[in-house]
Amino acid sequence: LLGIRADTRTISNFLYSIKDLWKGVLNSVLEKYIEEGVEAQNLSEEKIEEKIKVLEEVIYQKLIHRNFGTLFSGLKYYDPAYQDENDGHFITYKKDEADFLAVDEKGDFVVIEIKVLGDDRALAQIQRYMGWVKVNLCKEGQNVRGIIISENDDARLQYALKVAKDIEFKKMRLDIQIGKL
């Protein structure tokens, strides 16, 4: 399990940054629908839930980016300057964004994908990123592997992972502690 531990100041700064993030993302979602001629009150509950999941992934992305070295010892960003500025994201085929692209101690690539709900669609997504890395970045002898990280998974993903070479699933748990640790 991934654990995030921080002092009171760090937690306070994080909570304030989320406040702005929530406002910004939700406002941009509502603006998009208004631009498309859809009244905000007509958003279905399903669409709102979908947008909230996207927002949760953005928050997880930022948290993991801030703690990348601690959470993934032995990995470093493929392009640190670019990825540090972009919360770990790395652009692949036609502006697709892999959540994290790293290199391990052997020089092999590691694609990491964060999901609120890990399902078999996450597997297809990470395989697309891995394929792009294999074709465009790997040199002879280099390999690429993937890690899907999620709070939850489902049976479809677990069945698909049984035959998905070089991809593993890791469960994530957000753990905030306040006080003396």
Side-chain angles (χ1 to χ4, degrees), residues 49-60 99 113-119 122 148-154 169 171-172:
E49 283 296 317
E50 182 181 315
K51 300 304 176 189
I52 289 172
K53 281 182 184 176
V54 168
L55 178 58
E56 284 180 295
E57 285 179 15
V58 168
I59 292 168
Y60 291 151
D99 288 337
E113 188 60 30
I114 309 300
K115 292 294 177 196
V116 172
L117 173 61
D119 59 19
I148 297 171
I149 300 173
S150 178
E151 287 182 299
N152 303 296
D153 62 334
D154 66 8
F169 175 82
K171 201 161 224 171
M172 167 178 55

Side-chain angles (χ1 to χ4, degrees), residues 11 14 26 54 86 94 98 112 121 135 145 158 161 178:
I11 292 168
F14 166 70
L26 290 177
V54 168
N86 293 285
K94 292 191 177 185
I112 302 170
R121 291 176 295 182
V135 169
R145 63 186 171 96
Q158 288 304 319
L161 285 170
I178 300 174

Side-chain angles (χ1 to χ4, degrees), residues 131-142:
W132 184 90
V133 168
K134 185 82 171 162
V135 169
N136 293 282
L137 300 178
C138 282
K139 294 177 174 57
E140 191 170 328
Q142 273 186 310

Side-chain angles (χ1 to χ4, degrees), residues 78 103 106-109 134 137-144:
Y78 169 69
V103 179
K106 296 183 290 184
D108 290 333
F109 287 96
K134 185 82 171 162
L137 300 178
C138 282
K139 294 177 174 57
E140 191 170 328
Q142 273 186 310
N143 295 309
V144 61

